[in-house]
Each structure stands twice: as structure tokens, then as C-alpha cells.
Amino acid sequence: MALPKAIKKFTLLLTAIALIFNVYIYTYPSLNPKQCSWRCFEQDAKQGQSNLIFSYFNDILHSHDDKNPNDVKLMALGDPQIKGIWANTPYISRLDTFGNDYYLGHIFRTMYNRLKPSHVVVMGDLFSSQWIGDSEFFNRTVRYTKRLFNRDVKWLYDLQEEHHGDDGTYKVNWVEWADNLNKIRTGDRPMNFSFGYQDIYNWTSAENYLFINVSGNHDIGYSGDATYQHMARYRELLGKDNYWIEYNAGTDNAWRIIVLNDLLLEGPALQPELLETNWEFLYQLFERKFEGSTVLLTHIPFYKPSGLCYDGPEFRYYPEDYQREPYKSKLLRSQNHLSAEASNRVLNLIFDAEKPGIILTGHDHEGCETVYNKDDKGNWTASKTTDPKNLNIKEITVRSMMGEYHGNTGLVTGHFNEATRQWEWSFNLCPFSIQHIWWFTKVVTIITGFLWSSAFFF
Ligand SMILES: *[C@@H]1O[C@H](CO)[C@@H](O)[C@H](O)[C@H]1NC(C)=O
Ligand SMILES: *[C@@H]1O[C@H](CO)[C@@H](O)[C@H](O)[C@H]1NC(C)=O
């Protein structure tokens, strides 16, 4: 039986639509090649105006050429905030959450294949809530690892085999972790937190880039929420919250990455001793007197007055008579920025070598660029403009990769300028589009596939 003509026409139309949308979602960076590529320091001057169609095809053909193999190519992804699925979650929201994982994964895969980064960093708030149990934390880590970043999860399941509760789901042994930390703190064990690394380009030889998680308030809580349990499971499943990696130390092109958990710098905190070890990290870092450029990766942005970025300064505290959890009375409930005082201290501890650098943060979702100008007395002032007289460091608040914000990827290119013998850092933001376009493409593709296969069967 031949299919009615109308259905044939409809199938052809749908096929055309599916093709166009698939081409779009797999090549979207080429529509915006300047924003969606590493910065090419030498070639910028040469690039003239060319029309969109020419530059699109030119980009598809040439985007894989590695023009500057010695550059640092760091891909920064802001606040994915993947949600959970509960017993009472309606089916439509479950589907939405499921699709969202793959939407975010699509952005990573497309950008990864295009740009072959040397480093991939998620700027904190990997998950949507700090008030989840260990089993849910584990399940989200598995989704995050596998669906978003295409990484191996076997080690996670092996770990669950060892650390689980009576029902067989993951349960962190935070008591052991806390004991160990406190032995170090009180001097029973040497004050060695193993904060530092040298010249690390991957964690396993199977990978050719370095994957970095930054801890956000939704992963471990603000300091008024953060418990040993939060910290222990984050450390076990997602890695250290504070460390540095030094590259080419001792040479004139030395540079380093600092991963800083800046949620545990200010209180009043639930576990004040966690603040103590966090500051200890910064002091040990300072003591290294590292001579080189710094890329600082942290979640909460530095202090700035209202009007410079979307978020103004804000600190909230739990009320004195907090009925639900009385032990949190008056503790730090949330913060938009670090305080002015903490910002100054941290910037002075990290950027003491007067070398250029860059700061990447997350948290506000909207994204922003701010310059911190240092004066002669060591005070740092946030501004939209650069004061050329003194050291200034740019802070990029990376716009979120969530669909509502159009699925962004931040691209940091670090280039060692042979003439000035200094590192130069620059940032591009590459947007995709809202999640509905991706959904639409998938649905139309499935329907088209179904129509074609029924055409064969009937
Ligand atoms: C996590 O996933 C496992 C396996 O799918 C499931 O049995 C468990 O209930 C999940 N945990 C939560 C809190 O939903
Ligand atoms: C970050 O988390 C992912 C997912 O669990 C993991 O594969 C990776 O090893 C973590 N990074 C570090 C430095 O531990």
C-alpha cells in the first residue's frame, strides 16, 4: 500500500526541517566563529570583514587546525545546576531533567570536539541543591560525570560497593574524614593537606585534557550550612576543593591554576574549623612565593559595589530564632560576593607577585566582566575600566550554561607573549541557544526517522 501523497510531502518537509536543525545544533559555533574560538593573538589583525556564509563554511573547514599549540586553552562552564528526580516528580519534569542532562552534554561535546581544550572547568553549582542526601548526591554525580561529560563512572560504582548504607546506596563515612581532618588541625598529624601539584595535564593517561570541578554553594552549602558530611562526600566524589597546579615553575613562563573554595572564608560558620583549614590553604599558597601568572578558579565573585554586575553585594543570615534548624541561628545563610575585606585579603595573598592573571567565577548566572585595580597600599577596587598605573586583574563571572541563559561556554586563551615575556589572558563567551531548540531538533529527528521507517514497512 502506497502512503497517501500528503504524508509523503509531510515526510519530506519534516526531513528538511530535521536536517537544517541538526546542522545547526552540531555546527552552531561556526555561526559565531569569533566568539566560539580560542583567541588567535597573531591572526587577529589579519582578519578582515567577511560575509556570514563564507565565514561559516570557512570555519567548519578550518576550526580544527591547532594554530597555537603552546597556548593554554581553558573551557569554563558556568553553573549547570542539574536538578533531581523524586518520587513525586511529575513525568513531564522527569523528562525535562533527563533531556536537560543531554542538552548540557551536547554543549560540552560540541565545544570539546571543536576546540580540543587543555583544561575543562565547571565553575561550581554542579547540582541544584545542598540539601540532598548522600545517595542523591551520588546519583547526580553519576549523571554529571556520564551524561554531561562523557566520563568513566565505573570507579563511582566501585566506591559505592565499599561505602554504602543498609539499602546498598552510597553513604559517605564523614566521621572518619572529620577525625582525620581534626588530627591534622590539632597537630597530631603533620600540617600537610597535599594542596599542590606540578605540571599536571590530565588525571589519567586516557585523557588529553584536565578536568576541574569547583565547589559551589549548591554542592557544599554556604558556610552556615556546610557540614563535615558535605565536605567529605564532595572530596570523595568530585575531588579537592582547594589546590594549586604550578606549570613551568622556575622558568620565566611559569603560570599556575588555583582552585579555591571561597564559600568557606567567611562566617559565622556552622563548623568554624573548616574556615580555618581554608585560610590555611591560602597562607600555604602565599608562602610559595610563586613567580608567575595565575588563573584563579572560584565560585563566589569578589566584592563589588551595586551596579557593576547583575548581583549587588548581599549577605543574609539565619534568624536568631530559626525554628526549623535552631542550631543555625545567626549563621551565614547566603552571600552574593565575598566581603570587601575578605576580597582584599584573598587578592593580596594570591596576586602578590605583581604578575598578570585572570579570575573566573560563577554564581550569578548572568555573567559579568570586572577589573580589580590595586593601589599602592594594597587595596583592590572593582571597576569597569583598567587603571594602567598599577596591577589590575580581570574577573570574569562566567555566564551560566543552563538553557535559560542560552547554553554558554566560556573560553579562556592564555598566550605567552615572547616579546614582553608575559602571559596574556583573554576571554570569549560562546552561546548556544535555549534548550527548546535542542529538544525540537531531537523530537523532529525521531518523528522523521519513524516516518521513513514506516514508509519502508507499508
Ligand atoms: C539513586 O539511584 C539508585 C539506583 O538507581 C536508587 O536505587 C536510589 O533510590 C537513588 N537514590 C535516591 C535518593 O533517589
Ligand atoms: C570532577 O568530577 C568528575 C565527575 O565525578 C570526576 O570524573 C573528576 O575526576 C573530578 N575531578 C577531580 C579533579 O577530582
Side-chain angles (χ1 to χ4, degrees):
M1 185 186 85
L3 283 177
K5 237 184 169 153
I7 295 195
K8 269 191 194 157
K9 274 194 177 153
F10 180 67
T11 306
L12 287 177
L13 178 69
L14 222 52
T15 308
I17 294 174
L19 266 174
I20 291 169
F21 274 82
N22 274 292
V23 168
Y24 167 68
I25 70 166
Y26 285 100
T27 62
Y28 75 88
S30 297
L31 286 170
N32 199 351
K34 225 173 161 165
Q35 285 307 107
C36 298
S37 303
W38 306 117
R39 174 137 178 244
C40 235
F41 286 78
E42 282 84 14
Q43 296 195 347
D44 272 4
K46 277 190 247 155
Q47 247 161 33
Q49 288 285 339
S50 52
N51 70 53
L52 179 71
I53 296 183
F54 173 80
S55 77
Y56 175 77
F57 286 105
N58 188 45
D59 188 81
I60 288 181
L61 293 174
H62 297 293
S63 67
H64 296 285
D65 306 354
D66 193 354
K67 287 152 198 125
N68 297 79
N70 296 324
D71 285 359
V72 175
K73 294 166 182 159
L74 184 148
M75 200 176 260
L77 298 160
D79 304 50
Q81 292 201 187
I82 60 173
K83 296 196 187 84
I85 288 171
W86 310 103
N88 60 0
T89 307
Y91 277 100
I92 189 78
S93 322
R94 288 176 191 235
L95 184 64
D96 190 47
T97 302
F98 175 83
N100 190 54
D101 288 352
Y102 289 100
Y103 162 81
L104 298 172
H106 175 79
I107 295 170
F108 168 72
R109 278 185 268 271
T110 307
M111 293 304 284
Y112 177 84
N113 290 333
R114 171 183 172 81
L115 291 174
K116 302 286 184 284
S118 58
H119 298 76
V120 174
V121 186
V122 185
M123 301 308 310
D125 285 359
L126 323 177
F127 309 151
S128 70
S129 169
Q130 63 269 48
W131 296 292
I132 57 180
D134 289 347
S135 167
E136 176 62 18
F137 191 87
F138 178 87
N139 289 359
R140 282 197 218 183
T141 306
V142 170
R143 283 167 46 200
Y144 170 81
T145 308
K146 189 153 115 192
R147 295 185 185 167
L148 273 64
F149 297 107
N150 231 354
R151 297 168 63 80
D152 174 39
V153 286
K154 186 178 172 293
W155 71 275
L156 288 169
Y157 289 113
D158 291 347
L159 199 83
Q160 182 174 240
E161 288 287 305
E162 279 171 51
H163 300 179
H164 58 76
D166 296 337
D167 63 353
T169 63
Y170 172 79
K171 194 170 188 311
V172 69
N173 188 346
W174 63 265
V175 177
E176 187 184 286
W177 186 83
D179 282 350
N180 192 34
L181 180 80
N182 286 316
K183 274 190 196 134
I184 295 176
R185 268 186 54 242
T186 53
D188 280 3
R189 294 237 178 108
M191 197 72 165
N192 178 2
F193 293 100
S194 318
F195 288 131
Y197 300 91
Q198 302 288 329
D199 299 307
I200 303 267
Y201 295 93
N202 51 30
W203 299 116
T204 68
S205 57
E207 287 175 335
N208 47 7
Y209 66 100
L210 191 75
F211 194 86
I212 295 175
N213 305 299
V214 174
S215 55
N217 51 288
H218 285 313
D219 311 315
I220 57 168
Y222 293 99
S223 78
D225 304 314
T227 57
Y228 284 114
Q229 182 191 5
H230 281 119
M231 296 315 299
R233 70 191 187 190
Y234 182 89
R235 300 282 297 263
E236 190 156 81
L237 303 182
L238 297 159
K240 289 181 185 166
D241 54 332
N242 287 310
Y243 55 98
W244 65 76
I245 309 169
E246 297 174 348
Y247 295 91
N248 315 332
T251 70
D252 75 344
N253 64 357
W255 69 283
R256 65 179 174 176
I257 285 177
I258 296 176
V259 178
L260 172 67
N261 171 5
D262 67 351
L263 292 152
L264 293 177
L265 295 174
E266 301 185 74
L270 187 58
Q271 303 287 351
E273 58 284 20
L274 294 175
L275 302 195
E276 210 184 288
T277 49
N278 235 51
W279 281 104
E280 176 64 25
F281 165 72
L282 284 167
Y283 299 143
Q284 291 196 15
L285 184 74
F286 176 74
E287 289 302 321
R288 297 193 64 76
K289 299 281 172 217
F290 181 74
E291 283 291 326
S293 189
T294 297
V295 178
L296 171 60
L297 308 172
T298 192
H299 182 67
I300 305 268
F302 285 84
Y303 173 80
K304 51 186 71 66
S306 302
L308 282 183
C309 294
Y310 186 80
D311 277 349
E314 185 188 68
F315 276 83
R316 287 168 61 232
Y317 301 91
Y318 285 105
E320 185 154 9
D321 58 340
Y322 190 54
Q323 302 292 339
R324 236 179 61 187
E325 291 158 304
Y327 61 96
K328 286 192 182 170
S329 159
K330 293 184 14 214
L331 300 181
L332 181 58
R333 187 172 197 164
S334 72
Q335 63 189 118
N336 280 352
H337 302 148
L338 294 181
S339 68
E341 200 225 329
S343 297
N344 248 331
R345 278 178 76 192
V346 173
L347 291 170
N348 281 322
L349 286 167
I350 291 180
F351 295 100
D352 62 316
E354 300 279 322
K355 297 268 182 162
I358 188 169
I359 303 169
L360 300 180
T361 62
H363 198 50
D364 94 343
H365 299 176
E366 296 288 339
C368 194
E369 298 195 11
T370 315
V371 179
Y372 285 84
N373 293 303
K374 183 185 177 181
D375 70 11
D376 304 331
K377 296 193 198 68
N379 290 315
W380 297 77
T381 315
S383 169
K384 281 286 174 203
T385 54
T386 302
D387 172 5
K389 285 197 302 294
N390 283 310
L391 180 65
N392 43 73
I393 304 286
K394 197 178 237 185
E395 178 200 62
I396 313 280
T397 303
V398 181
R399 192 171 160 85
S400 169
M401 78 183 300
M402 285 187 275
E404 299 95 291
Y405 299 90
H406 293 195
N408 302 283
T409 307
L411 301 173
V412 177
T413 315
H415 179 73
F416 187 69
N417 184 325
E418 297 287 343
T420 60
R421 312 301 296 168
Q422 297 280 12
W423 281 95
E424 296 170 358
W425 301 98
S426 79
F427 180 79
N428 283 338
L429 188 75
C430 172
F432 174 33
S433 65
I434 57 170
Q435 68 274 37
H436 306 112
I437 304 277
W438 178 89
W439 268 114
F440 178 79
T441 311
K442 295 293 156 189
V443 171
V444 171
T445 307
I446 291 167
I447 296 176
T448 310
F450 176 78
L451 286 172
W452 276 102
S453 55
S454 36
F456 283 112
F457 285 119
F458 293 107

